[in-house]
Amino acid sequence: MKKYVMLTLKKALRTYLMIFPFAIIGGITVGMYTFEHSTPEVIEAAIEQLGSYQALIAVTMIQTLVYSLFGWVVGYFIVDRVGLIKPFRFDKEVLGKVWPVILVLALAFAADYFVMGRLIPEVAADYEKGISLAYFVSSLTYGGVIEEILLRWFFMGLIALILVMIFAKKKKKEEIPAWIFITANVIAAAVFAAGHLPATQMFFGRITGLILVRCFLLNGVFALFFGRWFRKYGIQYAMLGHFGIHLISKVILMCMI
């Protein structure tokens, strides 16, 4: 048991080195983006507490490093237990299946401006402010990589492990029924979407049926695809999908707005 723990820990830490640059950049740019969208009162209070803008960015970066490391290392043990670890490489055949779907999903994501923007004035107004460099980079690094570690690798894996312990404790990894992973994917996607509701309420000042539908479409439906790719092909494809959708949709919007 001790040998297994040490070997798995070593693998987890070694593979985290691939994540480390994304955590650094994601933490910095999320801090910058948060600063851009905070009220003067909040900014003043943060600087007064931490001492400077640079300190605020450093704190955000350190926080991102800590919980991405925790999510990756603990998640490694979890996904290893339920058989969700796949080789960390990209396969041409799988890429051929995934990329067309990513393109379609990215077009659907960009359509939010043209569809929901007409129905909800605040949506169009927010897009028309433009996409800052900090927002663009953070959506790729933090959104595309760190969120996948926390929501798919760790949380979806944890839900799957709990279901395995309840319904399939005596089964080997390869014998775990598919419904467990599908259920874990749906729960993780729903929780991810619901987690955006406080920010949605703060942004719009209200939650209507249409705003609720938009929140779950943008954050829940897309997450189901990421969870499926994680289960079938590996976490790197969930990251690629999340990264690719943000990249393509934002480039489209920057060219058209």
Side-chain angles (χ1 to χ4, degrees):
M1 182 65 178
K2 184 178 179 181
K3 184 178 180 180
Y4 163 76
V5 170
M6 294 306 298
L7 181 61
T8 304
L9 180 61
K10 185 183 294 186
K11 289 179 181 178
L13 292 172
R14 186 173 67 245
T15 51
Y16 180 76
L17 293 177
M18 298 184 294
I19 308 300
F20 184 77
F22 293 95
I24 291 286
I25 297 170
I28 292 172
T29 52
V30 162
M32 294 169 64
Y33 174 68
T34 302
F35 198 85
E36 289 174 355
H37 286 75
S38 297
T39 63
E41 294 78 15
V42 171
I43 292 172
E44 185 178 347
I47 291 179
E48 183 178 346
Q49 183 179 4
L50 296 172
S52 67
Y53 169 77
Q54 290 76 15
L56 175 65
I57 301 302
V59 167
T60 310
M61 181 190 70
I62 292 168
Q63 287 176 338
T64 304
L65 283 171
V66 169
Y67 55 68
S68 65
L69 177 61
F70 173 84
W72 183 262
V73 172
V74 176
Y76 201 101
F77 283 89
I78 293 171
V79 297
D80 184 54
R81 169 63 180 84
V82 297
L84 283 175
I85 289 184
K86 305 289 193 299
F88 295 107
R89 62 173 182 268
F90 290 102
D91 179 81
K92 287 185 179 179
E93 184 178 346
V94 177
L95 287 172
K97 296 177 182 178
V98 168
W99 264 116
V101 181
I102 292 174
L103 179 59
V104 171
L105 293 177
L107 293 173
F109 199 89
D112 179 56
Y113 168 71
F114 303 99
V115 178
M116 290 296 181
R118 292 187 176 186
L119 301 173
I120 309 173
E122 294 96 331
V123 171
D126 189 56
Y127 277 114
E128 286 163 4
K129 290 178 183 177
I131 297 173
S132 68
L133 180 61
Y135 176 44
F136 182 74
V137 175
S138 67
S139 68
L140 301 180
T141 54
Y142 189 93
V145 178
I146 306 305
E147 284 185 358
E148 287 306 308
I149 292 173
L150 300 177
L151 269 298
R152 242 63 60 185
W153 184 255
F154 176 74
F155 187 67
M156 178 180 161
L158 179 61
I159 297 299
L161 178 60
I162 292 171
L163 293 174
V164 166
M165 297 304 290
I166 296 172
F167 298 105
K169 188 174 182 179
K170 296 182 179 180
K171 293 184 180 295
K172 298 178 180 178
K173 295 177 186 179
E174 58 273 14
E175 296 174 342
I176 297 173
W179 71 263
I180 285 181
F181 301 113
I182 294 170
T183 303
N185 186 20
V186 171
I187 293 173
V191 168
F192 180 63
H196 286 76
L197 289 176
T200 300
Q201 168 68 41
M202 187 179 298
F203 177 77
F204 290 104
R206 67 193 188 281
I207 296 288
T208 65
L210 185 60
I211 291 173
L212 186 65
V213 167
R214 176 180 180 266
C215 180
F216 274 81
L217 281 176
L218 290 180
N219 301 296
V221 173
F222 292 89
L224 291 173
F225 285 89
F226 306 149
R228 175 176 170 79
W229 291 336
F230 167 40
R231 177 172 69 91
K232 290 193 68 177
Y233 308 126
I235 191 62
Q236 68 272 26
Y237 289 96
M239 292 176 175
L240 176 67
H242 203 150
F243 184 101
I245 288 170
H246 277 302
L247 175 64
I248 296 168
S249 65
K250 283 174 176 55
V251 169
I252 292 172
L253 291 169
M254 285 189 292
C255 292
M256 299 191 70
I257 298 176

